[in-house]
């Protein structure tokens, strides 16, 4: 979780962000998300569109593979 953490300038490019909690993170729009992968369990701030910043949604296999 990144609750209350400023993410300004943090480079998440290509990172695996599956199941990450960003709802209370600060300055997320100023982080680098190009090519980062997230899943349906990743939590973003209200109205934040991660794909607008280059992150991409991936599916989790039914086997529970993370």
């Amino acid at each position: 979780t990144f609750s209350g953490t400023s993410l300004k300038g943090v480079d998440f490019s290509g990172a695996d962000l599956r199941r990450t909690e960003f709802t209370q993170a600060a300055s997320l729009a100023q982080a680098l998300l190009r090519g980062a992968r997230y899943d349906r369990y990743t939590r973003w701030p209200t109205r934040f569109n991660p794909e607008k910043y280059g992150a991409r949604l991936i599916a989790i296999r039914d086997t529970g593979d993370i």
Side-chain angles (χ1 to χ4, degrees):
T1 183
F2 291 98
S3 182
T5 303
S6 173
L7 299 177
K8 182 178 181 178
V10 174
D11 189 354
F12 289 112
S13 299
D16 183 348
L17 301 176
R18 291 178 289 179
R19 298 180 185 253
T20 303
E21 171 68 53
F22 287 111
T23 56
Q24 299 298 316
S27 305
L28 187 56
Q30 296 172 347
L32 304 172
L33 295 171
R34 179 178 234 147
R37 300 169 314 281
Y38 70 96
D39 62 18
R40 64 185 175 140
Y41 299 107
T42 305
R43 296 294 171 240
W44 303 98
T46 303
R47 297 188 199 120
F48 183 81
N49 180 353
E51 293 185 5
K52 177 180 175 183
Y53 297 94
R56 57 189 168 96
L57 178 63
I58 58 171
I60 294 179
R61 294 185 214 148
D62 293 337
T63 61
D65 181 41
I66 295 181

